[in-house]
Amino acid sequence: MPVGTQKDYYAALGVDRSAKPEQIRKAYRRLARKYHPDFNPNNQQAEEKFKEIQEAYDILSDEKKRKIYDQYGFYADNIPPGGYGVGAEAGAAAGPTVDFSGFDFSDFNPQDEKGAGFGSSVRDLFSQVFHRGREEEVEGPARGRDLEHRMRLAFWDAIRGTQVRITVERAETCATCHGTGHASGPAVTCTVCGGTGKTARQAGAMRFTVTCPRCGGSGRERRPCPACGGSGQIRKPETFDVRIPPGVDTGSRVRVPGKGNAGAAGAPPGDLYIVTEVEPHPVFERKGDNLYIKVPVTVTEAALGAKVEVPTIDGPTTIKIPPGTESGQKLRLLGKGAPSLRASARGHQFVEVQIVVPKVADERSKEILRELGRLNPENPRAELLRQGTK
């Protein structure tokens, strides 16, 4: 076995051993973009570098894996932090002393008896060699993946809510194999291990007998289902009704439980999320749960005050224009906005006043305006001029 140095995951990512998780994450993202195969086509060196970066991040981004790596100098799934001693520092720990410091495992290419590589690293071999019979954590079948469906809605449908019929292509459990992925009939001898349930791997001068990755040690395997090809799922369109609640806006996500892809081996399906896009309205402008409109008023109404009728999503309502109202001034109507998805309350409606200057054609109207100017001689630009000459 050649003597050298072990894999240095910290050096692979270009960070110190004391680097924080955020520093590790940033370093990984930067290097992954640089060496990603999509950006380096037909570049074997970049592909190998990308694999090295992926492996380093897989260990250092996981707190438990990183602790094992820092303690032993390599990572194995079945070696807990402090579970096995390493040299004199962990002599009091349970289990045998294992010291691999000074050995270089990077040249090992685990192979089966026929010389075919398994694609597993040496740490996977030691994971099985040093397994002490502890019960492994086995996760259940994976839940189905969530799906997204984009939907364009009219303004009033978004405000009031609606029910729409949609068609979504989703993965459903195969009716032929009931999600197992296996064809009917008896199992056959495993084509990898020949029915022994074990395969031999070689790493340099070392040979290991491990559980067959194909049959899981049973020595038997089932033929794939002809309907789904062994996936246990079949994709097909499904049509159903969806209720859109009042108050959705552009970017809202409406969850439809159980309408995502089917889960594996009987696991529950994922969910469907309707992502809405709401068409604009010619009068109402929406910002969050608030609505905004612009209402024209006459010079007389703005100067003397008046009661004017304005539209709301509940129908016309009357508001009071205070005397002396200026153009651009906003008045608020409490609770007249859009329904909120987060609470039972509603937003507000804001009315922006826009003063409309009359078109004067007859002499009588002109004389009245001249008289108004003589009675109110103040210059509205006086303060502007004063500030501009300082």
Side-chain angles (χ1 to χ4, degrees):
M1 182 179 295
V3 178
T5 58
Q6 300 173 358
K7 287 187 178 181
D8 189 341
Y9 291 139
Y10 292 99
L13 295 179
V15 297
D16 296 331
R17 298 185 69 87
S18 59
K20 296 181 179 179
E22 183 61 28
Q23 294 174 306
I24 292 175
R25 190 179 301 109
K26 289 182 179 179
Y28 165 71
R29 290 176 177 174
R30 175 176 54 82
L31 292 173
R33 285 194 297 266
K34 180 178 179 181
Y35 293 103
H36 197 283
D38 290 348
F39 300 107
N40 299 273
N42 303 321
N43 189 332
Q44 185 66 27
Q45 185 176 1
E47 183 177 349
E48 293 300 323
K49 183 66 175 177
F50 182 75
K51 292 180 180 179
E52 179 185 356
I53 294 167
Q54 289 275 50
E55 181 178 346
Y57 183 70
D58 175 64
I59 301 302
L60 300 185
S61 63
D62 187 291
E63 182 179 356
K64 292 182 179 179
K65 292 182 181 180
R66 183 180 179 183
K67 188 174 182 180
I68 293 174
Y69 172 75
D70 289 342
Q71 185 173 357
Y72 296 105
F74 70 96
Y75 172 74
D77 293 333
N78 297 309
I79 299 182
Y84 300 134
V86 180
E89 294 182 0
T97 298
V98 181
D99 187 358
F100 296 113
S101 61
F103 291 91
D104 184 7
F105 298 104
S106 59
D107 294 332
F108 289 0
N109 180 26
Q111 299 176 336
D112 63 12
E113 295 174 322
K114 299 179 181 178
F118 281 86
S120 300
S121 64
V122 173
R123 69 168 183 258
D124 296 323
L125 301 180
F126 282 106
S127 169
Q128 298 184 47
V129 171
F130 293 107
H131 179 58
R132 296 295 173 178
R134 286 184 298 273
E135 183 178 354
E136 297 183 9
E137 295 182 3
V138 180
E139 296 183 357
R143 172 181 175 272
R145 295 184 60 183
D146 294 335
L147 298 177
E148 280 192 358
H149 179 83
R150 297 192 174 274
M151 179 182 297
R152 189 172 178 84
L153 293 173
F155 176 83
W156 289 111
D157 288 338
I159 290 294
R160 298 165 180 163
T162 186
Q163 181 170 297
V164 293
R165 174 160 292 189
I166 63 173
T167 299
V168 177
E169 186 178 84
R170 52 189 296 267
E172 297 185 352
T173 300
C174 176
T176 302
C177 66
H178 304 289
T180 65
H182 302 146
S184 59
V188 297
T189 301
C190 177
T191 56
V192 173
C193 67
T196 65
K198 301 289 183 180
T199 57
R201 299 189 187 185
Q202 183 168 344
M206 303 174 64
R207 288 177 62 84
F208 302 90
T209 299
V210 297
T211 301
C212 175
R214 175 87 173 196
C215 65
S218 68
R220 310 284 287 175
E221 65 175 326
R222 303 287 297 274
R223 292 189 177 91
C225 171
C228 64
S231 67
Q233 297 179 349
I234 294 180
R235 297 191 66 84
K236 65 178 185 178
E238 181 181 355
T239 301
F240 49 89
D241 293 330
V242 174
R243 178 65 185 172
I244 304 298
V248 295
D249 197 3
T250 295
S252 295
R253 291 166 60 86
V254 180
R255 176 173 170 262
V256 185
K259 289 300 183 181
N261 284 338
D271 298 328
L272 171 67
Y273 287 89
I274 307 295
V275 182
T276 57
E277 180 184 354
V278 181
E279 298 175 353
H281 191 273
V283 174
F284 298 101
E285 179 184 2
R286 182 171 178 178
K287 296 179 182 179
D289 294 334
N290 294 327
L291 297 175
Y292 296 79
I293 66 169
K294 296 179 179 180
V295 176
V297 298
T298 66
V299 173
T300 305
E301 290 172 334
L304 303 179
K307 291 182 178 181
V308 299
E309 194 175 53
V310 298
T312 72
I313 59 174
D314 300 317
T317 190
T318 300
I319 64 171
K320 184 179 180 180
I321 305 295
T325 296
E326 298 181 355
S327 190
Q329 187 171 333
K330 291 184 177 65
L331 306 176
R332 184 175 62 175
L333 299 177
L334 296 176
K336 290 294 185 180
S340 175
L341 293 175
R342 296 174 296 276
S344 58
R346 289 172 51 176
H348 308 305
Q349 178 171 318
F350 292 87
V351 178
E352 180 180 338
V353 175
Q354 291 188 324
I355 299 176
V356 178
V357 178
K359 297 180 180 180
V360 180
D362 60 286
E363 286 299 323
R364 175 60 179 160
S365 297
K366 293 179 181 179
E367 183 58 34
I368 292 175
L369 290 176
R370 294 189 188 99
E371 181 65 20
L372 179 64
R374 288 192 292 269
L375 295 174
N376 299 272
E378 64 272 8
N379 184 357
R381 297 171 296 281
E383 182 63 20
L384 175 67
L385 295 172
R386 187 180 67 83
Q387 295 288 345
T389 56
K390 281 187 177 181

